[in-house]
């Protein structure tokens, strides 16, 4: 299994264009945010920085996760790998750690730089950093599963980004939905860093369960398709 993970990680590393774009988005957002102090005389703080990074994490997770889950299928490489007799389950699950290593590695650097530039308390670093990493990890896992399920990465990236950055924030503002808004991934992730507003009655354990349920559903669909698809 470790060899498969290393192979998938190498495939992602070799996509220099994708890596450059993700690095620019993640690290560039930190530079732009804190650079506003110098040019706009604004006040930058760690809490706001991690709020920005939580959204950016969804972008990074979608790009890397969809690529990890669907690139081999699109290129026809998966057919060759499966024909060698390798376990399809192992081939599927090796993609997830590879996607997480890259996604969480970049996000951890961004969180660390943000902390150095704003000197927050350890509690703030723990809560804010956790929400950023969970956002990236969840989106990457969901996109690995959906890309494997659909056999393509482009549509999965588009749908994931549209939902996380556009649809989910709008749904979270609809009071008519009441506590049903807790099921929105971004809302559940926000509970890690805050317990205000609509999150006041949501237990942390409940938020974690919602996050795990989204990941399990997407990965389950991707695993089913990987194990049953014709080659």
């Amino acid at each position: 299994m470790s060899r498969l993970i290393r192979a998938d990680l190498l495939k992602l590393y070799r996509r220099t264009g994708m890596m450059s774009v993700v690095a620019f988005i993640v690290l560039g957002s930190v530079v732009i945010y804190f650079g506003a102090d110098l040019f706009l005389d604004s006040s930058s703080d760690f809490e706001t920085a991690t709020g920005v990074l939580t959204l950016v994490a969804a972008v990074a997770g979608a790009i890397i996760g969809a690529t990890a889950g669907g690139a081999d299928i699109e290129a026809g490489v998966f057919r060759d790998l499966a024909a060698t007799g390798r376990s399809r389950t192992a081939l599927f699950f090796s993609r997830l750690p590879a996607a997480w290593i890259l996604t969480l590695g970049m996000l951890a650097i961004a969180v660390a730089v943000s902390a150095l530039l704003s000197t927050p308390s350890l509690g703030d670093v723990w809560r804010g950093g956790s929400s950023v990493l969970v956002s990236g990890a969840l989106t990457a896992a969901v996109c690995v599963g959906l890309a494997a399920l659909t056999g393509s990465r482009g549509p999965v990236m588009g749908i994931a980004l549209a939902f996380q950055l556009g649809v989910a924030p709008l749904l979270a503002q609809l009071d008519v939905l009441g506590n049903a808004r807790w099921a929105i991934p971004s809302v559940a992730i926000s509970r890690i860093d805050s317990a205000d507003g609509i999150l006041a009655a949501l237990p942390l354990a409940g938020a974690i369960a919602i996050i795990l349920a989204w990941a399990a559903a997407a990965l389950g669909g991707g695993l089913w398709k990987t194990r049953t698809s014709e080659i």
Side-chain angles (χ1 to χ4, degrees):
M1 186 68 172
S2 61
R3 292 179 62 185
L4 290 176
I5 295 173
R6 288 196 299 269
D8 281 320
L9 189 58
L10 183 59
K11 292 175 190 175
L12 293 174
Y13 268 129
R14 286 177 174 172
R15 294 180 174 273
T16 54
M18 180 201 72
M19 294 295 297
S20 298
V21 168
V22 175
F24 175 79
I25 292 173
V26 174
L27 301 179
S29 65
V30 176
V31 172
I32 292 172
Y33 177 73
F34 285 98
D37 272 344
L38 300 176
F39 298 103
L40 301 178
D41 193 29
S42 61
S43 178
S44 301
D45 61 85
F46 183 76
E47 182 179 358
T48 305
T50 52
V52 172
L53 282 174
T54 299
L55 294 177
V56 172
V59 178
I63 295 173
I64 295 176
T67 302
D72 280 353
I73 300 173
E74 284 185 337
V77 176
F78 176 77
R79 183 184 301 108
D80 298 332
L81 292 173
T84 64
R86 289 191 176 108
S87 166
R88 293 193 181 195
T89 300
L91 289 172
F92 173 77
F93 278 114
S94 66
R95 303 168 188 170
L96 183 58
W100 276 348
I101 289 170
L102 289 185
T103 303
L104 299 183
M106 288 189 188
L107 293 175
I109 293 172
V111 170
V113 172
S114 298
L116 289 174
L117 293 175
S118 56
T119 61
S121 67
L122 289 177
D124 288 339
V125 173
W126 172 255
R127 290 190 300 273
S130 296
S131 65
V132 171
L133 297 179
V134 170
S135 176
L138 174 60
T139 309
V142 168
C143 287
V144 166
L146 292 181
L149 178 63
T150 62
S152 60
R153 48 184 172 144
V156 169
M157 287 184 200
I159 293 171
L161 292 178
F163 181 77
Q164 287 285 74
L165 304 181
V167 177
L170 291 177
L171 292 177
Q173 300 301 316
L174 297 179
D175 293 337
V176 68
L177 296 178
N179 291 343
R181 291 175 290 178
W182 292 350
I184 301 171
S186 58
V187 173
I189 291 170
S190 297
R191 174 60 182 83
I192 297 174
D193 192 31
S194 172
D196 299 328
I198 65 172
L199 301 172
L202 175 60
L204 181 58
I208 294 173
I210 292 169
I211 292 168
L212 292 177
W214 275 95
L219 291 172
L223 177 59
W224 168 79
K225 183 65 174 180
T226 300
R227 289 173 59 91
T228 58
S229 62
E230 296 290 336
I231 61 172

